[in-house]
Amino acid sequence: MSYVFNPLPLPSVPVVGRPERFPVRRIYCVGRNYEEHAKEMGFTGREPPFFFMKPADAVVPVNAGETGTMAYPSLTKSLHHEIELVVAIGTGGKTIKAADAHKHFFGYAVGLDMTRRDLQGEMKKQGRPWDIGKGFEHSAPIGPITPVAQAGDVSKAEIFLQVNGKDRQRSTVAKLIWNLGEIVEHLSAAWELQPGDLIFTGTPEGVAAVVAGDTLVGGIAGLGELRVRVA
Ligand code: MN
């Protein structure tokens, strides 16, 4: 097959302990999946899970021990951090039951769902899509993917984010409203998952703005740390 121009390289993420990279197909994100974050965004209770997407080329892959760089995006005065556990799908499927979800996992990573909060808020108010607030370039920094066998059980892992050395977010994955199996059950009822899909599973409370020059360090116990500087 030939193309009318050279296609851009496939977005990909490094894998712990492997020279091969994880090719990214889609990035799904879960909204408001920790109770205290739902509250700080003005919502309460356990609403059905809902999803939005980012383009695959929004990833900013960061190697272990390195500091990635994300450009401060245009149009916003309120770039928020959301530290999240990311599930990397290795085997596709549709209408997957929660109890079978783990069979589809390739691994886990630490990710940031960076958000133009002011633009997202404006779109919410107008009942318009969130894309401009969520799906911009560099909006998905992500550390290396740890294969499931090496990661062990992440369902109760500590998750945190610091900005310039100070705590902003600190919680545990145990506080997810919808757990990983339930997320996959709901998501795969609406879309057929494929190898290469990433699922950002939601952020705990403490989301706030960063500015150019800030350094973000996020981590999840067992999955290492993600370091990103805002340029
Ligand atoms: Mn999020």
Side-chain angles (χ1 to χ4, degrees), residues 29-32 37 52 82 84 113 115 134 200-203:
C29 303
V30 186
R32 299 195 286 264
H37 173 62
F52 58 91
E82 296 190 357
E84 307 201 1
D113 167 13
T115 303
K134 289 290 195 179
F200 281 62
T201 57
T203 197

Side-chain angles (χ1 to χ4, degrees), residues 68-208:
T69 301
M70 80 164 283
Y72 194 94
S74 63
L75 301 180
T76 185
K77 292 185 170 61
S78 184
L79 175 64
H80 271 206
H81 54 74
E82 296 190 357
I83 192 72
E84 307 201 1
L85 168 66
V86 180
V87 174
I89 297 295
T91 305
K94 52 184 173 182
T95 60
I96 298 164
K97 290 286 164 220
D100 296 324
H102 64 281
K103 297 174 190 165
H104 298 262
F105 295 177
F106 174 82
Y108 308 103
V110 181
L112 279 162
D113 167 13
M114 299 303 291
T115 303
R116 292 194 280 210
R117 190 72 74 200
D118 44 358
L119 300 185
Q120 183 202 22
E122 189 57 36
M123 291 301 108
K124 275 186 191 173
K125 214 180 335 175
Q126 298 184 32
R128 290 180 178 171
W130 288 9
D131 300 48
I132 199 168
K134 289 290 195 179
F136 53 92
E137 284 83 10
H138 294 183
S139 61
I142 183 170
I145 295 169
T146 302
V148 282
Q150 288 159 253
D153 181 13
V154 297
S155 66
K156 295 178 181 68
E158 188 189 13
I159 179 169
F160 74 92
L161 180 80
Q162 298 181 327
V163 177
N164 303 329
K166 292 209 176 84
D167 261 29
R168 288 278 186 93
Q169 297 184 268
R170 188 169 291 275
S171 188
T172 159
V173 174
K175 290 188 175 175
L176 279 173
I177 296 172
W178 299 96
N179 66 33
L180 303 185
E182 292 168 326
I183 291 169
V184 165
E185 180 165 325
H186 281 89
L187 188 59
S188 68
W191 291 275
E192 181 170 356
L193 296 180
Q194 298 286 359
D197 289 342
L198 297 175
I199 307 170
F200 281 62
T201 57
T203 197
E205 68 276 18
V207 300

